[in-house]
Amino acid sequence: MTYAIVRTGGKQYRVEQGQSLLVERLPDDDGAKVTLEPLLYVDGSDVVDGRDLSRVRVEGRIVGHERGPKLRIVKFKPKRGYKRRTGHRQELTRVEITAVKLAARRSRAKAAAASADASEEAANGT
């Protein structure tokens, strides 16, 4: 089971690939690709957090913009003739998660050996 914890709009969400979720309104248009900020990545027993999060990518596609349910706010003070009724509808964006992936990391020793081999081949072959 692979999932990630991401932060957007001041809230945290647990997301998996193919999942659709409602988040605070994002400024992008319908169909735009967005990258969400990962806080944690879990792949079975492998957990990635801290500095290694730079390797984690959580990508999504904006499906559409919606409005939340109407919330009724009522203020009332008895015996004073004070009554107020207002409402609120939150602006939301539906995002479909397209990818939750961990980029492969090459060790420094392997990367150095590969670059040394490439430079040696270039010197000998050319």
Side-chain angles (χ1 to χ4, degrees):
M1 171 170 39
T2 301
Y3 68 90
I5 307 293
V6 296
R7 174 175 42 207
T8 179
K11 298 179 180 76
Q12 296 178 8
Y13 301 93
R14 180 185 188 269
V15 297
E16 297 178 12
Q17 186 168 349
Q19 178 182 354
S20 176
L21 71 145
L22 279 172
V23 298
E24 298 286 323
R25 178 63 63 106
L26 296 173
D28 300 319
D29 295 330
D30 292 357
K33 295 184 186 252
V34 293
T35 302
L36 302 174
E37 176 188 357
L39 299 175
L40 181 78
Y41 173 82
V42 177
D43 186 12
S45 62
D46 182 29
V47 177
V48 176
D49 61 351
R51 283 184 291 191
D52 293 336
L53 282 175
S54 61
R55 301 178 353 195
V56 177
R57 292 195 48 91
V58 179
E59 298 172 351
R61 182 178 54 86
I62 294 181
V63 176
H65 297 290
E66 303 176 11
R67 295 185 76 193
K70 178 84 166 186
L71 300 178
R72 301 267 182 204
I73 295 107
V74 178
K75 296 180 181 180
F76 175 77
K77 294 190 179 178
K79 301 178 191 166
R80 289 176 181 83
Y82 177 80
K83 295 179 212 169
R84 298 288 182 270
R85 185 173 68 199
T86 59
H88 175 74
R89 290 187 73 180
Q90 186 66 36
E91 302 285 331
L92 302 169
T93 299
R94 184 166 299 277
V95 177
E96 180 183 352
I97 304 301
T98 56
V100 177
K101 56 189 171 187
L102 179 65
R105 185 181 85 189
R106 296 187 346 184
S107 69
R108 289 183 184 165
K110 285 184 181 179
S115 64
D117 290 342
S119 61
E120 185 178 310
E121 287 177 9
N124 292 337
T126 317

